[in-house]
Amino acid sequence: MSTEQRKAEHIRICLEESVAGKGITTGLEQYRFVHKALPELDFQEIDLTTEFMGKRIGAPFIISSMTGGTEQARQINLHLAHAAERLGWAMGVGSVRAAIENPQLGATFRVREVAPSIPLLANLGAVQLNYGYGAEECKRAVDMLEADGLVLHLNAMQEVFQPEGNTNFKNLLLRIEQLCRSLAIPVGVKEVGWGIDGATACRLLDAGVNFIDVAGAGGTSWSEVEKFRSRDALRRQAADAFADWGVPTAACVRDVRRQAPGAVIVASGGLTSGVDAAKALALGADLAGFGRGLLAAAVDGEDAVLQALAQVEFELRVAMFGIGARTLHDLRSTPALVTAATLTAPLA
């Protein structure tokens, strides 16, 4: 099966099937904000602006890498990019490998014309560095998109369950380090839904990686996605044993921030609202990423995406208002985020 056909299947499955992890959550529900009845704050003065990839953005959000390689994916990416540009969100596209293999598919990823100012990330599977890809292919992907940087995704578990998967992850850290040294552009690393722990993040940062997108468990499970594609009875049945695999998003953010205090961290993986984003930022993330939850809106059109993004922003503003945090710095340093058990414990 071609990469293009595989991407079309991924879109259909993510839209039509139940592909969230089973028996595992993001862990964000374990936290609550202590409401401040007197916030001493003008709601209109709340400031969501921040910087990412050397660019000023309107809010601490990124549309996570999702798709490309098909005509439907082209429309999805354009709808997402239009809305991201209007609100000032960063954006990643799906793996550009399809366009490296077939340059005619490059148009399905190119969104710079409709999103001239936002941070834009090209995307390739890190494992491809063990299958003939190097700095030349990575630079071609970035140039094709006029991107500000490259994100390498780690998807070892997906590749095992994928019928055409590439499973040689041996010595990959060294290849990532060599790539970071040879490219003049920023390189980030993200998981695809099973999480990056603090120790792994530190190894990647030491290798020259610029940011870590933890992409924790609690959202889409790509072993579940590949289960719907597989004609291999063994893999289909085995996928059920891994439906709850991974490190929850909240735990990833806390662990990476603890072990790498200066890291740039993107929190993604199962976030569904601006309140989730507020919790992730208060736990230590610099940006919050949203992926599959935006896919249906992106199929509907730009207006639907714009409404979804605006709602997330509004929810973040309201959460900040509710704890008296005017800026993202205030949110990240707030003492108001506590475990849910703290608020539900009986009063003395």
Side-chain angles (χ1 to χ4, degrees), residues 3-79:
T3 304
E4 182 178 2
Q5 290 173 307
R6 184 167 73 249
K7 297 305 178 185
E9 283 197 351
H10 284 162
I11 293 172
R12 180 192 64 78
I13 291 168
C14 286
L15 286 170
E16 298 177 2
E17 306 290 354
S18 175
V19 294
K22 309 297 190 295
I24 193 167
T25 68
T26 64
L28 293 169
E29 77 285 348
Q30 298 175 16
Y31 296 89
R32 297 283 189 277
F33 285 107
V34 177
H35 173 64
K36 184 174 288 189
L38 187 61
E40 292 286 354
L41 181 63
D42 182 347
F43 182 77
Q44 300 302 322
E45 293 180 354
I46 292 174
D47 181 9
L48 300 185
T49 60
T50 188
E51 288 189 5
F52 181 60
M53 305 288 289
K55 290 186 173 181
R56 197 75 177 164
I57 54 177
F61 296 126
I62 182 169
I63 296 176
S64 296
S65 304
M66 280 191 282
T67 193
T70 71
E71 177 56 29
Q72 183 186 26
R74 184 179 79 88
Q75 292 298 324
I76 288 171
N77 280 333
L78 287 173
H79 294 157

Side-chain angles (χ1 to χ4, degrees), residues 255-267:
D255 195 35
V256 176
R257 179 56 70 209
R258 179 179 63 83
Q259 296 201 47
V264 176
I265 302 172
V266 178

Side-chain angles (χ1 to χ4, degrees), residues 171-338:
N171 297 324
L172 201 53
L173 183 64
L174 176 60
R175 294 192 183 275
I176 292 173
E177 182 176 9
Q178 291 169 341
L179 180 69
C180 290
R181 288 178 176 175
S182 62
L183 291 179
I185 55 172
V187 177
V189 169
K190 75 183 297 295
E191 238 284 347
V192 300
W194 287 289
I196 295 178
D197 67 299
T200 302
C202 287
R203 293 166 68 199
L204 289 165
L205 293 164
D206 288 344
V209 167
N210 294 88
F211 67 89
I212 301 292
D213 184 341
V214 299
T220 304
S221 166
W222 280 92
S223 56
E224 290 291 290
V225 174
E226 296 298 345
K227 180 176 73 174
F228 286 101
R229 294 187 60 237
S230 179
R231 294 177 176 83
D232 181 335
L234 184 150
R235 280 177 167 77
R236 285 179 62 89
Q237 294 174 20
D240 292 335
F242 293 88
D244 65 351
W245 191 267
V247 184
T249 299
C252 289
V253 173
R254 289 191 63 188
D255 195 35
V256 176
R257 179 56 70 209
R258 179 179 63 83
Q259 296 201 47
V264 176
I265 302 172
V266 178
S268 68
L271 276 65
T272 62
S273 70
V275 179
D276 281 349
K279 292 177 182 179
L281 294 167
L283 285 170
D286 295 282
L287 269 73
F290 290 82
R292 185 170 59 89
L294 299 174
L295 189 58
V299 172
D300 288 343
E302 179 189 344
D303 289 344
V305 178
L306 192 63
Q307 181 176 347
L309 303 194
Q311 179 172 331
V312 169
E313 282 196 17
F314 179 72
E315 290 165 350
L316 175 59
R317 289 181 186 274
V318 174
M320 291 171 65
F321 187 61
I323 60 171
R326 188 186 70 81
T327 67
L328 295 175
H329 177 269
D330 295 338
L331 174 59
R332 293 189 185 103
S333 58
T334 183
L337 187 72
V338 299

Side-chain angles (χ1 to χ4, degrees), residues 93 95-97 99-100 109-110 121-124 133 135-147 149-150 185:
V93 299
S95 173
V96 190
R97 177 184 168 194
I100 298 296
F109 296 93
R110 284 195 286 267
L121 291 168
N123 172 24
L124 285 170
Y133 277 44
E136 180 182 344
E137 288 77 12
C138 293
K139 188 175 186 303
R140 196 187 316 166
V142 171
D143 291 344
M144 186 186 306
L145 272 64
E146 301 178 56
L150 174 71
I185 55 172

Side-chain angles (χ1 to χ4, degrees), residues 114-137:
V114 300
S117 69
I118 62 172
L120 183 63
L121 291 168
N123 172 24
L124 285 170
V127 74
Q128 295 309 314
L129 299 176
N130 274 345
Y131 289 84
Y133 277 44
E136 180 182 344
E137 288 77 12

